[in-house]
Amino acid sequence: MNVLVILGAILFILMILIGGKKGARSFIALFLNFGVLFLTILFMTDPTVDPIVLTLIASIVISCITLFYINEVNRKTITAFISTMITIVILLLFILIMTENAMIQGFGEEEAEELSIFSLYIGVDFVKIGAAVIIMSTIGAITDVAIAIASPMREILNHNPLISRKELFKFGLSIGKDILGTNTNTLFFAFFGGYLGLLIWFKDLSYPIGTIVNSKVFSAEMITIFCAGIGIALIIPITSWITAYFFVKARDNNVE
């Protein structure tokens, strides 16, 4: 407990020193988002609640905290929020179809021993739970890319007020190309860092490559990474177009 408090205090001090008031809000937002996730998990245990609807509500709240609480309500955060919601809806429909066909819902053989004393008949749809888990895993990366594109597009418009909508859109895409590779690699290495123990266990048990790739635990995590990558790829043109459209429209209305 003392270690957690010390690490939290160090993080809080560094975020204030580097980010100022925005850094303090970012630190508070961590706990707010944790609270949202915790409440979402609690409500998901109720069989009468649809996990997909609950996930959409949680995604909206998390996006509002991440975008509006940290960066305040302005034109760039509004466009980033709209882009995030559009991407989440598209991605959710795709994930629902993919999760059901890939049959990655539920638990793998490697987790069976730990769960053997518990009953799995808890009255929830594991296909929807699987889709909800993937969405929750990608929402942070999607909102991050959305604001990372909208913010510099706002700056370039301030420095070049006469820029056309097409050129502004291309500028957003050029930023997205740089973000795409780094964020995808971040998700990939986060998986290997988090599941390094599992991979070592696979090696000690002399699992062949085919067994590892086809195991439910490995496949579920890789599918999560691929879906997150798809979400990041989708959010780039969506944010670029929406931001360019609304920013140029607002500029033209002000000129008139």
Side-chain angles (χ1 to χ4, degrees), residues 63-140:
S63 298
C64 288
I65 293 172
T66 304
L67 295 173
F68 298 137
Y69 177 71
I70 297 176
N71 299 286
E72 301 179 348
V73 180
N74 50 56
R75 196 169 294 155
K76 66 182 179 183
T77 54
I78 292 174
T79 56
F81 176 77
I82 295 172
S83 304
T84 299
M85 290 300 101
I86 293 174
T87 305
I88 288 295
V89 172
I90 296 173
L91 194 61
L92 186 57
L93 295 174
F94 171 75
I95 289 173
L96 272 174
I97 298 172
M98 180 276 307
T99 303
E100 188 167 1
N101 289 301
M103 294 186 292
I104 60 170
Q105 66 273 9
F107 303 97
E109 295 178 359
E110 295 78 13
E111 302 164 307
E113 184 176 350
E114 298 176 1
L115 298 168
S116 59
I117 62 174
F118 301 104
S119 173
L120 299 181
Y121 296 99
I122 57 178
V124 296
D125 189 336
F126 275 98
V127 174
K128 293 182 178 179
I129 293 294
V133 169
I134 296 176
I135 286 294
M136 289 297 183
S137 302
T138 60
I139 183 66

Side-chain angles (χ1 to χ4, degrees), residues 135-175:
I135 286 294
M136 289 297 183
S137 302
T138 60
I139 183 66
I142 290 174
T143 53
D144 179 55
V145 173
I147 193 64
I149 294 175
S151 184
M153 288 179 70
R154 175 63 181 171
E155 290 300 318
I156 196 65
L157 184 65
N158 289 337
H159 292 289
N160 187 7
L162 299 179
I163 190 171
S164 65
R165 181 177 286 125
K166 183 178 180 180
E167 290 299 320
L168 187 60
F169 173 71
K170 288 182 177 179
F171 177 76
L173 287 181
S174 66
I175 297 172

